[in-house]
Amino acid sequence: MGCLKIFVIVVFMWALLIPNTHQLGSYETQILLQLRRHLEYPVQLDVLENNNGDFCNLGSTLNMSIICQNNSVTELKIKGDKLVKVNEFHGVAVPNNTLSERFSIDSLVTTLTRLSSLKVLTLVSLGIWGHLPVKIHRLSSLEVLDMSSNFLFGLVPSEMSTMVKLHTLTFDGNFFNESLPEWLDLLPNITILSMKNNRLKGKFPHSISKITGLTDIVLSHNALSGELPDLSALSNLHLLDLRENHLDSELPPLPQGLTTILLSNNAFSGEVPEEFGKLNQLQQLDLSNNALTGTPPADLFSLPSISYLNLAFNVLSGSLPEHLNCGSELGFVDISDNRLLGMLPSCLNASSDKRIVKVSGNCLSVDTQYQHSGSYCKQANLARKQTTSKEIAILVGIVGGTVILVVFLAVVLLIFCRRQHARHDVDRLMFPKLVQDNAQPNISAELLANARIISQAAALGSQGAPSYRVFSMEELEEATKKFDKSALLGEGSIGKIYKGKLENGTYVAVRELNVYRRCTSWNFKLRMDLLSKFRHPHLVSLLGHCIDDGVQDDSTVHRLFLVYEFVPCGNFRARLSETTPGKVLNWSNRLAILIGVAKAVHFLHTGVIPPSFGNSLKTDSILLDEHQIAKLSDYGMSILMEESEKVEAKGDGHNTWHMRKKEDDVYNFGFILLESLVGPFFSGKGETFLLNEMASFGSQDGRRKIVDPAVLTTSSQESLSIVISITNKCISPESQGRPSFEDVLWNLQYAAQVQATADTDQRSDATSLS
């Protein structure tokens, strides 16, 4: 009995000596309170106020979790409510979106690194902004890092390659705008890599193909370009999501274990590899909006686990097998907008209740959905083959020319190797030829533009935009109270525009077009089909159309209605006239609006086939939504209103017309820039006055005389000079001297970066003085 008492006492004392694995030490308690201050007291951490330091027993919620072990924090998860609501971020605080200007990401990370046992760190939607500090690598025990939906900017520091325990890296929804890291293969345990919805650019790193432990690669909605390497060695890979990039190679071999492949909205070319029909674990495959050719492998449709198959908006041709088999799990198939011919296999019968099938925009022998004539697809395929032949001929010419040039240079060097003084003359004489030879790929790139441009068009499209549809006259009359005067928003040269409210409560803008040229209903439907694909964050979304009642398919259209999203906060010209304090647009605001419009016009010029020129560019056709995001209206009207022979013409006349219209858009945008600089008071005096006054911009006194005071007081001289320079080029009387919209956009973005830097420096100076 005495032995039993002794044993109980020993066990009791031993228990007292064991450290409490759930009680946090005072040191790390203070660190958590300091983190709360750095994050500017988010409501999710209010629970830290009255718990006497016992943070490890708070219990986990959806928005906050603290897990401890051996008196140390091992997991810290905080999810805030600061959703990213801006399209552009320039590395400085954004009111109501980011943490304040006082926030220091360097101080935040320094404090985090003191949690030496931290294995899981999740800081999501907290408004954290700035460049991710190099010292993040000091979190050497970290296994999971998730900083999604913040405002992280610049590049991912290479020092993170030393975080060898990391297996999950998630930076979704930030603003990283450099190349994807090449050192990712130095992370031996990485399994999940997710950096979707950033601004990543450059090539897809070949080093990723060496990380055999990867299970998920999610890099969608970036600007990655070039070749996608062979990923077949990634035997554990299940998810590959590279949507909405600029990848333009042929489809490479992929690992057998993939269950989801999302490669839509790129510029992939060539045929769909037959090997894709052997991916027996594949459940979802999306290759839409690329430039894929040939006939899709029949085995794709019969994969045992495939449930979603999207091949829409490619250049697929040929006929599907009559006795095509469809997998038992296949519930959605989209092969629309290709060049497919022949009968639709019975297992893709659109009337079946078993699966949803979309086949419109082909040349198939079906009656239920819109199809082109067979000759359309045959001619399109023939034109593509001819283009390919031209490309080959150009390539052969380039290679042959290069060989001849190399031989010629060798002979020249042998003859003149002892005449050193003549070498520079030889180089000078040869240089123009080298330039000419190097210019040829640009010409061939224009011949290849269709595939690349279509993919870029889709890549820039608005996320979650409502689908396009045809409205009835009854719907529009009900929405606008039978086009009552009270619903009239305005009247322009191309027709009246009304505000309407649909049955579901959605507000819309309804534009009535009076058509004076002879154009059949069928012709208009083809043009509307093209216009409906114009989707971009800075374009007012076209929701649908209505051709006046009583018009038959072979009739001439006299009245057409276009239904757009309703943009509630007025136009740019009205905002430029605003004098109420708090509503005046400063220089940074104006640059953001101009950049948005330039992106939209650049998309219209290079992102759709055929390109849309003559887009009625005026300050009052730029609308602003509730977040002050610019949206261009009245675009694409030339597609509807110009004579059909101009739209459909071929050859030199076609190119001349397009060039003239492109340069007109640049010229008109120049006057938008000018009005942004001087304000509507001076712009109202007409083009001649403004062109004469442009000379005043060259001096400080001249600028003070004509530039809007709201611009002068909020702009740096360098930023202002950049915009004045590009404005001068845009309104050049010589059309050949006007820049492309790509150049315009680059200059505006550069001006915005210069201004952001100047604003930051000014705030720093003010802080130091105080």
Side-chain angles (χ1 to χ4, degrees):
M1 187 69 180
C3 293
L4 180 61
K5 288 181 179 179
I6 293 171
F7 175 76
V8 170
I9 292 170
V10 170
V11 170
F12 178 72
M13 293 180 67
W14 176 70
L16 290 176
L17 293 174
I18 296 177
N20 188 341
T21 58
H22 298 290
Q23 180 65 47
L24 196 61
S26 60
Y27 174 69
E28 295 207 355
T29 297
Q30 293 303 314
I31 291 174
L32 289 177
L33 293 173
Q34 191 172 355
L35 286 174
R36 183 177 176 233
R37 288 194 295 273
H38 285 314
L39 295 172
E40 300 178 357
Y41 302 95
V43 294
Q44 292 77 13
L45 294 183
D46 285 351
V47 292
L48 301 184
E49 278 190 347
N50 301 309
N51 279 274
N52 300 317
D54 189 15
F55 298 154
C56 297
N57 296 310
L58 291 175
S60 298
T61 68
L62 290 175
N63 296 318
M64 197 278 293
S65 173
I66 299 174
I67 296 179
C68 310
Q69 188 174 357
N70 298 327
N71 296 333
S72 296
V73 177
T74 56
E75 294 188 22
L76 175 61
K77 298 179 180 179
I78 310 170
K79 183 178 180 182
D81 54 7
K82 289 185 178 294
L83 301 178
V84 177
K85 298 179 181 178
V86 297
N87 291 325
E88 297 294 334
F89 176 66
H90 301 290
V92 295
V94 180
N96 303 319
N97 283 272
T98 67
L99 296 173
S100 71
E101 296 175 359
R102 300 185 302 276
F103 169 75
S104 169
I105 190 171
D106 189 76
S107 298
L108 172 70
V109 173
T110 298
T111 303
L112 283 168
T113 58
R114 294 171 184 156
L115 298 173
S116 56
S117 300
L118 198 60
K119 294 181 180 180
V120 177
L121 177 61
T122 298
L123 301 173
V124 174
S125 298
L126 291 166
I128 297 169
W129 63 272
H131 292 271
L132 189 63
V134 167
K135 63 184 70 174
I136 188 76
H137 79 281
R138 296 179 188 171
L139 289 165
S140 56
S141 299
L142 211 59
E143 298 174 3
V144 176
L145 176 59
D146 184 355
M147 297 185 71
S148 299
S149 299
N150 284 295
F151 292 80
L152 300 178
F153 189 68
L155 53 76
V156 180
S158 59
E159 286 76 8
M160 288 185 65
S161 62
T162 63
M163 301 171 71
V164 293
K165 295 183 180 181
L166 202 63
H167 63 71
T168 299
L169 180 60
T170 306
F171 284 138
D172 297 341
N174 280 283
F175 291 86
F176 289 110
N177 59 347
E178 298 293 336
S179 299
L180 197 63
E182 285 283 356
W183 43 260
L184 289 166
D185 59 326
L186 299 178
L187 301 174
N189 296 303
I190 192 75
T191 58
I192 297 175
L193 173 63
S194 187
M195 294 185 69
K196 65 183 179 182
N197 287 302
N198 277 277
R199 305 294 187 271
L200 295 169
K201 58 188 178 183
K203 306 297 182 183
F204 186 97
H206 282 246
S207 59
I208 289 181
S209 61
K210 303 174 185 177
I211 312 174
T212 55
L214 277 172
T215 61
D216 296 35
I217 299 176
V218 183
L219 299 170
S220 56
H221 302 87
N222 281 289
L224 301 175
S225 60
E227 176 189 27
L228 181 63
D230 184 343
L231 300 177
S232 57
L234 305 183
S235 55
N236 293 301
L237 193 64
H238 299 306
L239 169 61
L240 179 63
D241 184 0
L242 300 175
R243 292 170 292 169
E244 302 274 353
N245 278 286
H246 302 154
L247 300 167
D248 59 3
S249 63
E250 294 189 354
L251 293 172
L254 296 177
Q256 292 292 314
L258 276 166
T259 58
T260 302
I261 302 174
L262 306 174
L263 301 177
S264 60
N265 296 298
N266 280 281
F268 288 110
S269 58
E271 298 188 358
V272 181
E274 291 290 338
E275 290 76 10
F276 277 35
K278 300 176 183 177
L279 301 175
N280 290 330
Q281 297 184 45
L282 193 61
Q283 299 173 13
Q284 297 181 347
L285 176 62
D286 190 350
L287 300 177
S288 60
N289 285 287
N290 280 287
L292 299 171
T293 58
T295 305
D299 290 343
L300 277 181
F301 298 83
S302 58
L303 288 170
S305 301
I306 193 77
S307 61
Y308 178 94
L309 178 60
N310 193 343
L311 304 174
F313 291 97
N314 280 286
V315 201
L316 300 175
S317 58
S319 301
L320 296 173
E322 183 179 351
H323 301 294
L324 182 76
N325 291 321
C326 292
S328 59
E329 301 296 322
L330 190 59
F332 178 90
V333 181
D334 191 349
I335 56 174
S336 59
D337 291 276
N338 280 286
R339 303 288 185 271
L340 297 171
L341 294 155
M343 298 293 296
L344 187 66
S346 58
C347 78
L348 297 179
N349 188 335
S351 62
S352 170
D353 294 331
K354 186 177 180 181
R355 60 180 57 96
I356 298 171
V357 180
K358 297 185 177 183
V359 300
S360 63
N362 285 285
C363 301
L364 297 166
S365 301
V366 293
D367 299 327
T368 55
Q369 300 190 46
Y370 164 68
Q371 298 290 319
H372 297 286
S373 64
S375 60
Y376 171 85
C377 291
K378 292 176 181 176
Q379 289 174 0
N381 292 331
L382 179 61
R384 185 172 183 83
K385 291 178 181 177
Q386 291 173 344
T387 300
T388 304
S389 300
K390 290 179 182 178
E391 295 160 14
I392 294 172
I394 290 172
L395 181 60
V396 170
I398 292 171
V399 173
T402 303
V403 171
I404 293 171
L405 181 60
V406 170
V407 172
F408 180 66
L409 284 172
V411 172
V412 169
L413 289 173
L414 286 172
I415 293 174
F416 293 100
C417 63
R418 294 181 182 178
R419 299 173 63 182
Q420 185 68 28
H421 65 278
R423 183 174 298 173
H424 296 296
D425 292 336
V426 173
D427 290 341
R428 180 176 54 80
L429 291 170
M430 291 304 300
F431 183 72
K433 182 172 178 60
L434 289 170
V435 171
Q436 185 177 2
D437 289 343
N438 289 335
Q440 288 187 25
N442 291 331
I443 298 171
S444 63
E446 291 178 4
L447 297 175
L448 289 168
N450 285 16
R452 186 183 301 274
I453 287 175
I454 290 172
S455 69
Q456 289 173 343
L460 289 168
S462 298
Q463 290 294 307
S467 58
Y468 185 89
R469 69 183 183 92
V470 178
F471 289 83
S472 67
M473 277 300 298
E474 288 78 10
E475 284 181 283
L476 298 189
E477 286 177 347
E478 182 178 352
T480 60
K481 300 178 181 178
K482 295 187 177 180
F483 300 99
D484 188 79
K485 288 183 179 179
S486 62
L488 184 65
L489 293 175
E491 183 172 4
S493 59
I494 56 176
K496 298 178 180 179
I497 187 164
Y498 298 86
K499 180 179 179 181
K501 185 177 181 181
L502 301 179
E503 188 177 3
N504 64 4
T506 302
Y507 285 99
V508 294
V510 181
R511 181 179 288 282
E512 177 185 359
L513 295 179
N514 294 315
V515 183
Y516 299 107
R517 303 186 187 278
R518 291 184 60 81
C519 198
T520 64
S521 175
W522 176 253
N523 195 321
F524 258 123
K525 287 176 181 177
L526 291 177
R527 297 179 188 213
M528 291 307 306
D529 182 60
L530 171 62
L531 203 57
S532 68
K533 296 178 174 61
F534 290 10
R535 293 298 173 120
H536 188 279
H538 294 290
L539 291 178
V540 177
S541 294
L542 179 60
L543 306 181
H545 75 274
C546 172
I547 295 176
D548 198 356
D549 284 343
V551 177
Q552 304 301 318
D553 283 349
D554 58 350
S555 313
T556 300
V557 174
H558 296 291
R559 258 203 331 168
L560 176 72
F561 296 89
L562 304 181
V563 182
Y564 294 93
E565 67 169 316
F566 180 72
V567 183
C569 295
N571 62 56
F572 188 30
R573 182 178 177 84
R575 283 302 305 274
L576 287 173
S577 304
E578 186 64 65
T579 57
T580 305
K583 293 186 177 181
V584 177
L585 292 174
N586 64 26
W587 182 235
S588 295
N589 298 147
R590 299 183 193 205
L591 281 176
I593 291 168
L594 293 169
I595 288 169
V597 178
K599 285 182 176 181
V601 182
H602 181 237
F603 166 78
L604 293 169
H605 283 192
T606 63
V608 290
I609 294 290
S612 173
F613 304 125
N615 288 294
S616 185
L617 300 182
K618 300 176 292 184
T619 50
D620 54 8
S621 64
I622 299 168
L623 306 182
L624 302 177
D625 69 8
E626 59 273 20
H627 304 297
Q628 205 164 285
I629 303 300
K631 290 176 175 283
L632 181 65
S633 65
D634 295 344
Y635 57 89
M637 289 299 103
S638 60
I639 293 173
L640 292 176
M641 308 304 291
E642 289 286 346
E643 294 174 287
S644 59
E645 58 266 24
K646 285 185 177 178
V647 177
E648 299 166 3
K650 307 292 182 184
D652 294 337
H654 173 74
N655 293 332
T656 302
W657 179 73
H658 275 67
M659 184 60 68
R660 175 175 61 83
K661 289 293 186 180
K662 180 190 293 188
E663 291 166 353
D664 287 351
D665 273 352
V666 175
Y667 185 80
N668 291 334
F669 189 76
F671 277 92
I672 291 177
L673 293 174
L674 201 51
E675 191 165 335
S676 302
L677 288 165
V678 304
F681 174 74
F682 280 114
S683 65
K685 296 188 176 184
E687 285 189 17
T688 305
F689 173 82
L690 287 172
L691 290 172
N692 291 334
E693 291 296 325
M694 278 299 291
S696 303
F697 286 161
S699 67
Q700 294 294 332
D701 290 339
R703 291 183 186 183
R704 281 193 290 270
K705 171 186 172 185
I706 191 170
V707 173
D708 191 333
V711 173
L712 284 175
T713 56
T714 60
S715 65
S716 70
Q717 288 301 317
E718 185 181 358
S719 176
L720 191 59
S721 296
I722 293 166
V723 177
I724 289 173
S725 175
I726 195 66
T727 303
N728 266 313
K729 293 176 182 178
C730 287
I731 61 176
S732 169
E734 297 295 329
S735 59
Q736 294 83 356
R738 296 172 195 159
S740 67
F741 257 94
E742 185 175 5
D743 292 333
V744 174
L745 180 57
W746 188 93
N747 277 274
L748 290 175
Q749 289 175 323
Y750 180 50
Q753 290 175 357
V754 169
Q755 185 61 47
T757 302
D759 291 342
T760 303
D761 292 344
Q762 186 178 7
R763 283 192 292 269
S764 298
D765 293 343
T767 302
S768 61
L769 289 172
S770 61

